[in-house]
Amino acid sequence: MLHKVDDILSKHALRRTAFRQELLKIFIESGSRALSHTDIEEALGDHDRITLYRTLKSFQDKGLIHEAVDGGKDTKYALCQNQCDVHHHIDHHPHFLCESCGVTYCMDEIKIPDFDLPRNYTLKGMHLALSGTCASCSKV
Amino acid sequence: MLHKVDDILSKHALRRTAFRQELLKIFIESGSRALSHTDIEEALGDHDRITLYRTLKSFQDKGLIHEAVDGGKDTKYALCQNQCDVHHHIDHHPHFLCESCGVTYCMDEIKIPDFDLPRNYTLKGMHLALSGTCASCSKV
DNA sequence: TATCTTTATGAAACAATGTTGCATAAAGTA
DNA sequence: TACTTTATGCAACATTGTTTCATAAAGATA
Ligand SMILES: [Mn+2]
Ligand SMILES: [Mn+2]
Ligand SMILES: [Zn+2]
Ligand SMILES: [Zn+2]
């Protein structure tokens, strides 16, 4: 695991510090679930708030994580699945916020359908934020 | 205009105060453009920050305005076009954030296309946040 | 209109969230 | 090891949002 973590860090030209290794491990373990600042602070034992802000920004800039726009008030972050790097992100999947458990999921398997934009508009980015009840909350 | 404003306020069971009339006027004049807190503070002359927070919340609760999820960092609000009320909002149009001028537009004319959700997920809400260059910025 | 009841406003105090500057520590490099 | 560059931790600050409460104003009643 630590090997995988270090691999990812160096692949994205990030120095292997204890903080970054811990943070990346947390993201890997969370799978397709997006994490809020609070989620992360709870997962990290002792930590520095400011370093977390900065590390999240580095991870985002270097293409390790992306912001999961889910329509909720808390910003959430999740691992990039694809080959995102310092130059560009390609996280074009929807995000689903469960109103029952509060978890936000990356829906990597779903493609956002096409649609027509009015004349003279140029599309560069796109976020589809869904909400409702997730699979595990539906079963109860 | 003031007549229209008062009409809307009473239709949504909101007392006609000077502050609400002013704020609603600003929204009506902004048309399909969504406004950030800062946009509104600039448009209002002298004002109270806290009252603005509370009035925005009232307007949203009563179905006058909706939050425009555009993927940007600032929360923006825009007039509801439809028959939203205290019971439910039906603002299912995409929002477009222009990276050049920073304006967010409600795209009422565009319908968000259908797509399939994984088993056991129940969809309740949906936001499509688009970004790029708007029509007026493209022309330059 | 005068009176009453309910709700909105404005001010202050507080809480939460995010940013900047800087000295020190640690990582990468030779 | 010695050197250079970058990350960290802390403090101070800035911005954003919330709560409390006394007062003002709106709507209702008579
Ligand atoms: Mn995602
Ligand atoms: Mn809108
Ligand atoms: Zn759930
Ligand atoms: Zn524009």
Side-chain angles (χ1 to χ4, degrees):
Chain A
M1 170 58 132
L2 197 60
H3 178 255
K4 183 182 178 187
V5 160
D6 285 351
D7 249 27
I8 298 178
L9 288 176
S10 39
K11 189 176 298 177
H12 291 86
L14 284 166
R15 289 192 174 181
R16 278 165 276 179
T17 69
F19 193 99
R20 288 171 178 179
Q21 289 171 327
E22 258 197 274
L23 182 60
L24 183 50
K25 202 150 71 74
I26 290 169
F27 273 112
I28 291 173
E29 280 162 1
S30 78
S32 66
R33 267 185 262 113
L35 304 173
S36 69
H37 220 270
T38 311
D39 292 335
I40 299 167
E41 299 215 7
E42 278 166 13
L44 289 165
D46 193 25
H47 68 281
D48 181 68
R49 213 167 54 91
I50 292 91
T51 304
L52 177 53
Y53 277 113
R54 284 189 285 221
T55 309
L56 286 173
K57 184 164 191 314
S58 302
F59 278 18
Q60 209 177 345
D61 289 346
K62 296 300 173 75
L64 272 77
I65 61 173
H66 60 277
E67 197 172 318
V69 176
D70 65 2
K73 58 183 163 53
D74 307 326
T75 313
K76 293 185 183 173
Y77 302 91
L79 259 195
C80 294
Q81 309 291 343
N82 313 305
Q83 45 279 29
C84 297
D85 62 21
V86 70
H87 299 300
H88 61 285
H89 276 271
I90 37 176
D91 308 291
H92 280 174
H93 53 273
H95 291 103
F96 189 99
L97 166 62
C98 175
E99 289 164 5
S100 168
C101 64
V103 171
T104 296
Y105 299 91
C106 291
M107 301 204 135
D108 295 291
E109 68 281 5
I110 299 183
K111 191 191 170 309
I112 302 181
D114 282 330
F115 53 91
D116 289 319
L117 221 55
R119 275 211 165 282
N120 292 317
Y121 276 78
T122 312
L123 186 63
K124 287 176 193 158
M126 183 162 46
H127 296 282
L128 181 57
L130 309 174
S131 59
T133 313
C134 77
S136 84
C137 286
S138 288
K139 281 171 196 156
V140 184
Chain B
M1 169 59 131
L2 197 61
H3 178 255
K4 183 182 178 186
V5 160
D6 284 351
D7 249 26
I8 298 178
L9 287 177
S10 40
K11 189 175 299 177
H12 291 86
L14 284 165
R15 288 191 174 182
R16 278 165 276 179
T17 69
F19 193 98
R20 288 172 178 177
Q21 290 170 328
E22 257 196 273
L23 183 60
L24 182 49
K25 201 151 72 75
I26 289 169
F27 273 111
I28 291 174
E29 280 161 1
S30 78
S32 66
R33 267 186 261 112
L35 304 173
S36 69
H37 220 270
T38 312
D39 292 335
I40 299 167
E41 299 215 6
E42 278 166 13
L44 288 166
D46 193 25
H47 68 282
D48 181 68
R49 214 167 52 91
I50 292 91
T51 303
L52 177 54
Y53 277 113
R54 283 189 287 220
T55 309
L56 286 173
K57 184 165 190 313
S58 302
F59 278 17
Q60 209 177 345
D61 289 346
K62 296 298 174 73
L64 272 78
I65 62 173
H66 60 277
E67 197 172 320
V69 176
D70 65 1
K73 58 184 163 50
D74 308 326
T75 313
K76 293 185 182 172
Y77 302 90
L79 259 194
C80 294
Q81 308 291 343
N82 313 304
Q83 46 279 27
C84 298
D85 63 20
V86 70
H87 299 300
H88 62 284
H89 274 272
I90 37 177
D91 309 289
H92 281 175
H93 52 271
H95 291 102
F96 189 99
L97 167 60
C98 175
E99 290 164 6
S100 167
C101 64
V103 171
T104 295
Y105 299 91
C106 292
M107 301 204 135
D108 295 291
E109 69 281 5
I110 299 183
K111 191 193 171 308
I112 302 181
D114 283 330
F115 52 90
D116 290 319
L117 223 53
R119 274 212 165 282
N120 292 317
Y121 276 79
T122 312
L123 185 64
K124 286 176 194 158
M126 183 162 47
H127 296 280
L128 181 57
L130 310 174
S131 60
T133 313
C134 78
S136 84
C137 286
S138 289
K139 281 170 195 157
V140 184

